[in-house]
Amino acid sequence: MIISVASGKGGTGKTLVATSLALSLGNTCRVQLLDCDVEEPNDHLFIRPVITDRETVCIPVPKVDYNRCTFCGDCARICAYKAIAVVPKSVLVFDQLCHGCGACSYLCPEKAITEEGHEIGVVESGRANGIAFVQGRLTVGEAMATPVIRRVKTRIDHAATAILDVSPGTSCPVVEAVRDSDYCLLVTEPTPFGLHDLELAVLTVKQLGIPCGVIVNRAVPGEDMVQSYCSRENIPVLLEIPLDRDIARLYSNGQTLAEGMPQWQDRFKDVYTSITRSRT
Ligand code: SF4
Ligand code: SF4
């Protein structure tokens, strides 16, 4: 089963949930944690894995053969991403803008374009506390997160419970990471901003046809705007993590709830049970 952990906005505690869920399940079933937040992967800070494998991720970018090029400009005209420009006696390729779609090389009338690999990131894998771990890292300065996410997802172990930590928001990297999930856990906080961004995240996963449930982090008694919204939308609230100084201290010290407060492991296991029951 693939469970993605997402949030409409950053800073809601998504990493706390993803790592604690993985560690809580780790001694009862085969678990894999995949950090798909490739622009800022930080699960490793909490679970401290031993990395044993590292693979570079490249996308194909155009390379021009000036013995063939007539500077006709067709490649620049067809590039939807403005990643290639033709100036007198030169064709400029902007690697960071190129999506590696191959349209320019396919349509060049002189067959003057070949493709060469441009490294945009790495995928690393290893183990921590009995769970398998995979993370993607986008190279600083690169813009194309989705190919790295796709490569991370090729490592999904379909015999395991795969937990995907997804970037915050509702942009392309989120859609790329979440799609194909069996269930999406949406982590939010009980504030107007949290609720607003949760609504956007719910719309996104509904468009993708993925069932979802909500975890309210930093829950405060009486602040029930998220619960009211979920009730109206018939979305289950699977867990509430209170606004608590000890939990905040734990988190700031780089510890998960599952490790620092083992009594939470049963609550995360209950979340998993609710997810599996919702699918039967
Ligand atoms: S389409 Fe081909 S021939 Fe035309 S400018 Fe681009 S590389 Fe050169
Ligand atoms: S491969 Fe696609 S995105 Fe890259 S320069 Fe060519 S047309 Fe543009």
Side-chain angles (χ1 to χ4, degrees):
M1 179 192 289
I2 303 174
I3 301 171
S4 49
V5 182
S7 62
K9 68 188 275 297
T12 58
K14 178 177 57 61
T15 297
L16 179 79
V17 168
T19 52
S20 293
L21 179 62
L23 291 172
S24 300
L25 297 179
N27 49 16
T28 56
C29 62
R30 185 162 155 179
V31 173
Q32 191 186 32
L33 176 64
L34 301 102
D35 196 342
C36 294
D37 188 355
V38 302
E39 287 166 86
E40 206 173 348
N42 52 19
D43 288 359
H44 69 100
L45 297 173
F46 292 87
I47 67 163
R48 297 173 289 281
V50 176
I51 299 295
T52 52
D53 182 67
R54 201 170 264 111
E55 173 197 5
T56 57
V57 181
C58 297
I59 59 169
V61 298
K63 183 178 179 206
V64 176
D65 177 353
Y66 286 108
N67 291 322
R68 288 173 171 258
C69 178
T70 60
F71 305 99
C72 68
D74 283 1
C75 50
R77 278 188 287 277
I78 59 98
C79 180
Y81 304 100
K82 308 290 181 210
I84 191 163
V86 179
V87 295
K89 301 293 174 209
S90 190
V91 179
L92 307 174
V93 178
F94 306 102
D95 290 355
Q96 273 77 16
L97 297 179
C98 176
H99 281 52
C101 69
C104 55
S105 57
Y106 184 73
L107 292 169
C108 170
E110 308 301 330
K111 297 293 170 220
I113 298 179
T114 54
E115 292 173 337
E116 61 181 7
H118 170 69
E119 186 177 325
I120 59 168
V122 293
V123 172
E124 299 168 320
S125 56
R127 290 194 75 79
N129 296 310
I131 61 174
F133 177 71
V134 183
Q135 70 177 359
R137 284 180 187 274
L138 185 69
T139 303
V140 174
E142 293 295 337
M144 294 286 295
T146 51
V148 182
I149 294 168
R150 272 197 293 274
R151 191 67 64 85
V152 170
K153 290 179 71 177
T154 63
R155 304 282 187 99
I156 288 177
D157 174 0
H158 292 277
T161 297
I163 296 165
L164 274 58
D165 189 357
V166 175
S167 347
T170 50
S171 58
C172 295
V174 176
V175 172
E176 185 64 48
V178 168
R179 70 170 168 209
D180 309 322
S181 295
D182 298 299
Y183 198 91
C184 184
L185 274 176
L186 295 169
V187 185
T188 189
E189 58 185 19
T191 64
F193 282 137
L195 177 58
H196 173 266
D197 292 341
L198 172 66
E199 290 175 5
L200 295 178
V202 167
L203 283 175
T204 304
V205 294
K206 280 190 172 171
Q207 284 281 321
L208 293 167
I210 298 169
C212 66
V214 165
I215 290 183
V216 183
N217 188 25
R218 295 191 279 272
V220 177
E223 293 285 349
D224 58 358
M225 64 187 91
V226 171
Q227 289 82 347
S228 300
Y229 162 76
C230 290
S231 170
R232 284 196 306 276
E233 295 293 322
N234 201 23
I235 299 168
V237 175
L238 300 175
L239 185 66
E240 293 185 19
I241 303 170
L243 180 63
D244 179 273
R245 186 182 293 269
D246 289 337
I247 294 176
R249 188 177 294 118
L250 203 69
Y251 193 60
S252 64
N253 287 336
Q255 270 194 296
T256 64
L257 262 181
E259 280 178 318
M261 295 183 177
Q263 66 272 29
W264 278 87
Q265 291 188 13
D266 284 342
R267 296 178 212 175
F268 280 102
K269 286 176 188 164
D270 289 345
V271 168
Y272 179 70
T273 304
S274 300
I275 292 171
T276 51
R277 282 200 187 130
S278 73
R279 294 177 38 76
T280 54

